[in-house]
Amino acid sequence: MVPEPLSPMAASHRPFHPPPRAPKPGVADRGLRGFLIAAVIGLGALMFAMALLPPLAAGGRVVQRFAEEFGEIGEDIDLTFPRLPERSTIYAADGSVLATLYFRENRKVVRLRQVSEAARQAVLAIEDDRFYEHRGVDYRGIARAFVTNVQAGDIEQGASTITQQLARAVFKAIGSEETLARKIQEAKVAMRLEERYSKDKILEIYLNEVYFGRGVYGIGTAAEYYFGKSVRKLTIAEGAMLAGLISSPETYSPVNDREAALARRNLVVDRMRELGWISDQEAATASGSKLGLDITEVGNQDAKFPFFVQYLKNQILNDPRFGPTFAARRRALFQGGLHIHTTLEPGLQRAGEEIVARHLPAPGDPEGAMAAVEVETGAVKALIGGRNFRRSQVNLATGQGGTGRQAGSAFKPFTLVAALEEGFSVGKVYRAESGQTVNCAPYGPTNYRAVNAGDGGGSGYVDLLTATAQSINAVFVQLAVDVGPPKIAEVAKRMGIESPLDPFCTITLGVEEVTPLEMASAFTTLANRGKHCDPYAISRVETRNGKTVLRQGRGNCQQVIPRDVADDVAGMLRLVVTEGTGRAAALGTWPVFGKTGTTNDSADVWFDGCTRQICAATWVGHDEGRIPMPGAYGGTVAAPIWHDFMQVAMRGLPALPLPSPPTPPKGKVPDVVGEPRARAVAILAEASFTPQVQEVRSLKPAGIVVGQSPPGGSTAVKGSIVEVLVSNGKAPVAKVPGVVGLSEEEATGILTAAGFEVEVTGRTTSRRPLDGTVAEQSPAAGARATQGDAVTIVVYDYEEPPKPKDGGKDGGKDGGKDGGKDGKGGGSGGSDDDDSGPERART
């Protein structure tokens, strides 16, 4: 069935009488040459025509045999059109084009109906104006070319139809040599094509296959490249210029020679006017216009955000969903005409690049890299792989083309998750001093020296909350040993770290190399309450025909750690921002958790952090290797970059809550009074209490615990301080209590309780109320004395005074007698008011 001819112009065909062709200078001088050329062409044309005619139409046996032999040419060629290689296009989340990918043929395949009528007319006018009338070979065109070439004395006009050109270009078996046999084969294939395909289909394939110069294939791509517009919108002048390129793309290239391109364009316009497909006025307007070029580079070399495009290409080339083999995936990506829609947000990406450049502006400054991932889906929102893709194609955000970098203390959250999964309390305490020796065997040396970095340190015993906020290396090395480095590596893998990890005790200090994308992805597990969604950058892929072959709104999501563990660790990491090493990352009303990271030589510094919606990881260092940056820390260099980026990322998003720092559980305080100091400290630390030792003077041996607060047996919060009083072996000095006027029993009790020995002496008194009370003490009240020393007290003893007898004789006799008997030391005589008497030792 012959399809209806395509009307090249809505206007009616008007008779056209072309002006007489002016003879070319020197034609007469070339008469002989012209005659010979005409003879050759004429003979060839006669043989060509006879070969294509049915055998019975060819007169004579010789001619008939000739036709039969040539009639078999081209019959063995499969007429199935191979799929034209078509560039693939990568789009950002907002639909803007990020890049076009192709091997050698930059081609965008379009439908015939998408090509403007003016462009179709222009191509037909200059290449094959009888396209819709012939059957693949234009005998009239052959004759016209013969006449034209004879008149010119040279081969000025060919007679190949569009179908013949297409056959020659697509079916490589035809070849390209200028022989009669090849021309006949080409013509036979063209005639077979016309029998199998419609005119519109042949023209559509031709317009997509033909080369327009500058690496541009197909009229759809040419419209974009030369005029920066859709092929639907090509004008008469623009279509004519493109049509003029087909016969010799480099000769008539407007980039190489504008004058030649203009002349060729106007020739096409004149031909369209001659055919009556445009009016004289339309031709005059088109011929009088400028070329109007708007060269728009489209292709690999002009990709926006090349680090992200590089990452995306790598994703597809390693994804079996795009082909069973690497070669198949490569063809699909660069020749399959795929439309690849991504998760990248151009505004955020651009802001990230500008922020990194603003913080690291000098040529000698280190590089910065960043990755931002949506928490609940895993969508990659931005990927800053470096500052200059042309200088270095190593993607510092993904490690592609290079390696990851040491994460420093930013790796510690994986240790916390592992510890909490194993039942460790956030109140568990460890020694915090820098430089202490830790036995890491069998996951490291027996005498590893744990040194606290410049952006984190501590002393004494601290719990895990404090150790996290202050990023205390010594604590985390001990915790890693207790938890087990293999457990930490396994947790990190579950949460999203894909780089290889060696299970040494130093794994907790981030000595293993990871990438910002891995770290951002892993941190989303904490913000997403233990559920990890694999990072993904491709949201939808469509074929060249518009069929959707891949659609995803999230990465593969799985609950990889318990919700309560994720919440507790996220809450602990909030302390890093509110009161620890990452305070520069605080975002005001938006709750944030995160972790700083600084290697021991400050060659790599990090800040990785999250809001409830977005996690981002920021790294700063030198791309050529580990070069120390003295004075650089994660909290002072990386955290400010993260802060500025997240201010942009969070615009318009609500301030969603994050878990609060966990409250440690309560426990029973061990009783350590009477224990040696070291053992008491170990007992309290093992019970997750923070021992705070204070030496005191005591009569107990040095190093023995003589008191504690809270007391043993009481209940307190795990990790809280237990004050431990340890004897220094020196007797304490105390004030001597005042006991004068007290009874002997009361005075003795008070002095004994105050740590003093008591020595008692007696003193007689004739006053009964004073009996048994302390008359005086030594040392005096308020004096400072060493506990254990003796305090002497003098206690009254009551003695009833003698009664006087009647009469002086008896009284004198008795008094003298008694006085002589009892008054060895001067007697005790005196008035009744005398309270004193001789002192005597008492026990």
Side-chain angles (χ1 to χ4, degrees):
M1 178 178 178
V2 179
E4 291 294 326
L6 173 68
S7 173
M9 189 69 185
S12 60
H13 290 267
R14 297 184 295 274
F16 177 70
H17 303 284
R21 182 184 295 270
K24 285 191 175 184
V27 170
D29 296 336
R30 298 189 316 218
L32 179 59
R33 181 184 176 201
F35 172 78
L36 293 174
I37 291 175
V40 172
I41 292 176
L43 178 60
L46 176 62
M47 296 178 66
F48 183 80
M50 287 191 300
L52 298 179
L53 290 175
L56 294 178
R61 294 176 60 188
V62 176
V63 175
Q64 183 175 352
R65 187 181 304 113
F66 175 85
E68 289 174 351
E69 292 176 358
F70 278 90
E72 297 178 359
I73 296 175
E75 292 297 321
D76 59 340
I77 294 178
D78 182 4
L79 298 185
T80 302
F81 279 115
R83 175 173 288 185
L84 292 175
E86 180 179 358
R87 75 186 189 202
S88 293
T89 306
I90 301 174
Y91 302 91
D94 63 357
S96 60
V97 174
L98 294 179
T100 55
L101 308 177
Y102 56 88
F103 283 142
R104 291 172 295 275
E105 300 182 14
N106 181 9
R107 176 184 287 110
K108 175 183 179 181
V109 174
V110 296
R111 299 300 180 198
L112 185 61
R113 63 178 179 273
Q114 295 175 295
V115 183
S116 73
E117 187 175 30
R120 280 182 283 168
Q121 290 171 344
V123 172
L124 291 171
I126 199 65
E127 291 297 326
D128 189 356
D129 61 88
R130 283 174 35 79
F131 174 74
Y132 280 96
E133 299 172 24
H134 60 66
R135 292 293 179 266
V137 177
D138 187 3
Y139 299 107
R140 187 186 302 178
I142 293 174
R144 184 178 66 242
F146 171 72
V147 173
T148 300
N149 292 333
V150 168
Q151 289 176 342
D154 204 347
I155 300 178
E156 280 205 349
Q157 189 176 104
S160 292
T161 64
I162 280 177
T163 313
Q164 287 176 272
Q165 294 180 49
L166 182 62
R168 182 170 63 248
V170 173
F171 302 107
K172 302 305 181 185
I174 293 175
S176 59
E177 63 276 7
E178 291 295 331
T179 64
L180 181 60
R182 201 276 304 164
K183 292 293 290 184
I184 292 175
Q185 185 181 42
E186 174 188 294
K188 290 296 295 292
V189 172
M191 294 171 68
R192 291 180 61 203
L193 288 174
E194 294 268 354
E195 293 173 357
R196 181 167 178 176
Y197 298 101
S198 70
K199 287 285 189 179
D200 283 358
K201 185 63 176 178
I202 291 171
L203 180 59
E204 178 180 283
I205 296 174
Y206 175 80
L207 290 175
N208 281 297
E209 193 280 334
V210 72
Y211 181 55
F212 287 90
R214 311 296 294 181
V216 173
Y217 288 81
I219 196 167
T221 317
E224 290 181 352
Y225 179 81
Y226 289 106
F227 299 109
K229 61 168 56 176
S230 166
V231 70
R232 295 178 184 272
K233 299 179 180 180
L234 288 175
T235 64
I236 293 173
E238 292 166 345
M241 194 211 82
L242 294 182
L245 289 171
I246 294 174
S247 65
S248 184
E250 301 307 321
T251 301
Y252 302 120
S253 169
V255 178
N256 298 338
D257 190 339
R258 290 198 173 214
E259 292 302 321
L262 196 63
R264 179 67 174 173
R265 180 201 71 180
N266 291 345
L267 176 65
V268 176
V269 171
D270 284 345
R271 183 59 183 155
M272 295 171 72
R273 180 178 59 80
E274 291 173 6
L275 293 169
W277 294 352
I278 60 174
S279 67
D280 292 346
Q281 180 60 48
E282 289 172 321
T285 300
S287 296
S289 66
K290 297 181 179 180
L291 285 177
L293 297 179
D294 181 11
I295 302 296
T296 305
E297 297 283 354
V298 285
N300 305 322
Q301 71 278 12
D302 293 290
K304 295 179 182 177
F305 313 129
F307 284 109
F308 177 80
V309 171
Q310 179 195 48
Y311 162 70
L312 189 80
K313 287 158 57 177
N314 189 62
Q315 293 286 297
I316 293 175
L317 292 174
N318 290 281
D319 190 337
R321 291 178 294 182
F322 295 97
T325 65
F326 181 84
R329 295 190 288 270
R330 192 166 181 260
R331 284 194 301 271
L333 179 60
F334 291 97
Q335 295 180 310
L338 300 178
H339 296 272
I340 305 165
H341 299 266
T342 73
T343 59
L344 186 83
E345 295 185 0
L348 186 58
Q349 174 75 20
R350 192 172 293 108
E353 293 180 354
E354 293 172 353
I355 288 167
V356 170
R358 186 171 70 244
H359 280 269
L360 304 168
D365 281 345
E367 285 283 354
M370 187 183 303
V373 179
E374 191 172 62
V375 168
E376 293 188 345
T377 66
V380 178
K381 296 294 187 181
L383 199 71
I384 294 90
R387 288 186 293 176
N388 191 328
F389 185 78
R390 292 182 178 179
R391 185 179 69 84
S392 172
Q393 285 75 55
V394 175
N395 191 331
L396 297 169
T398 66
Q400 187 176 348
T403 63
R405 296 303 177 103
Q406 291 187 357
S409 293
F411 206 86
K412 289 174 180 173
F414 304 117
T415 304
L416 292 174
V417 171
L420 267 57
E421 282 190 343
E422 291 296 304
F424 285 66
S425 166
V426 298
K428 185 168 180 58
V429 299
Y430 289 97
R431 283 180 59 206
E433 290 88 351
S434 182
Q436 63 180 284
T437 299
V438 179
N439 182 359
C440 286
Y443 302 109
T446 57
N447 58 344
Y448 177 76
R449 186 169 180 265
V451 178
N452 296 331
D455 60 347
S459 60
Y461 279 80
V462 298
D463 62 12
L464 296 185
L465 289 167
T466 302
T468 300
Q470 300 302 324
S471 195
I472 303 175
N473 289 348
V475 170
F476 274 89
V477 172
Q478 296 170 79
L479 180 62
V481 171
D482 287 349
V483 172
K487 170 71 175 179
I488 299 170
E490 187 268 333
V491 164
K493 292 289 187 182
R494 262 191 279 147
M495 292 176 63
I497 300 299
E498 297 179 353
S499 295
L501 302 173
D502 291 321
F504 297 120
C505 67
T506 52
I507 188 175
T508 190
L509 303 182
V511 298
E512 303 298 314
E513 294 181 340
V514 293
T515 71
L517 180 58
E518 287 178 304
M519 293 297 284
S521 174
F523 270 53
T524 64
T525 309
L526 301 175
N528 205 22
R529 308 199 69 185
K531 180 180 289 187
H532 178 255
C533 296
D534 292 337
Y536 76 101
I538 303 171
S539 58
R540 188 173 79 257
V541 178
E542 298 168 348
T543 66
R544 67 175 81 194
N545 298 322
K547 179 182 178 182
T548 299
V549 295
L550 174 65
R551 184 189 299 272
Q552 57 184 356
R554 64 181 61 242
N556 178 39
C557 299
Q558 294 183 3
Q559 191 78 32
V560 296
I561 62 176
R563 291 180 61 171
D564 59 337
V565 170
D567 289 350
D568 282 350
V569 174
M572 294 172 76
L573 295 179
R574 290 189 67 182
L575 297 173
V576 174
V577 178
T578 58
E579 59 188 62
T581 58
R583 281 171 285 190
L587 293 178
T589 58
W590 288 295
V592 171
F593 72 78
K595 188 68 191 73
T596 55
T598 305
T599 56
N600 58 6
D601 55 1
S602 290
D604 300 282
V605 298
W606 296 71
F607 184 83
D608 306 334
C610 304
T611 62
R612 182 63 184 82
Q613 299 97 320
I614 298 174
C615 289
T618 303
W619 167 86
V620 175
H622 289 274
D623 59 344
E624 59 267 35
R626 291 181 49 76
I627 299 176
M629 301 179 292
Y633 301 108
T636 58
V637 175
I641 296 175
W642 184 94
H643 169 274
D644 292 355
F645 173 80
M646 288 295 287
Q647 287 277 16
V648 178
M650 293 302 296
R651 284 176 185 168
L653 297 179
L656 299 182
L658 288 171
S660 298
T663 300
K666 292 184 177 181
K668 185 177 181 180
V669 179
D671 186 351
V672 294
V673 173
E675 297 285 353
R677 172 178 178 159
R679 177 169 169 75
V681 168
I683 290 172
L684 290 171
E686 183 64 26
S688 295
F689 290 98
T690 303
Q692 190 172 86
V693 177
Q694 179 180 352
E695 289 191 347
V696 296
R697 297 171 71 95
S698 173
L699 297 178
K700 298 289 185 182
I704 298 298
V705 177
V706 295
Q708 70 178 84
S709 178
S714 62
T715 299
V717 174
K718 292 286 186 76
S720 62
I721 294 174
V722 175
E723 187 176 27
V724 179
L725 304 179
V726 177
S727 172
N728 63 2
K730 298 179 181 179
V733 175
K735 287 184 179 180
V736 178
V739 294
V740 173
L742 302 179
S743 69
E744 178 182 353
E745 181 179 357
E746 289 174 331
T748 300
I750 291 173
L751 291 171
T752 301
F756 296 100
E757 297 290 334
V758 179
E759 292 184 0
V760 182
T761 61
R763 176 183 294 171
T764 59
T765 180
S766 59
R767 300 181 60 188
R768 187 179 295 276
L770 297 180
D771 184 48
T773 64
V774 177
E776 61 182 76
Q777 67 181 76
S778 178
R784 299 188 65 82
T786 302
Q787 288 183 334
D789 288 353
V791 175
T792 301
I793 58 175
V794 179
V795 180
Y796 284 117
D797 281 334
Y798 172 72
E799 287 189 7
E800 185 174 352
K803 294 180 180 180
K805 297 180 179 181
D806 292 340
K809 183 179 178 179
D810 291 340
K813 182 181 179 180
D814 292 340
K817 183 181 178 180
D818 291 338
K821 181 180 179 181
D822 299 329
K824 292 179 181 180
S828 59
S831 68
D832 291 339
D833 292 333
D834 185 5
D835 294 333
S836 62
E839 294 182 0
R840 57 189 180 278
R842 299 189 44 192
T843 59

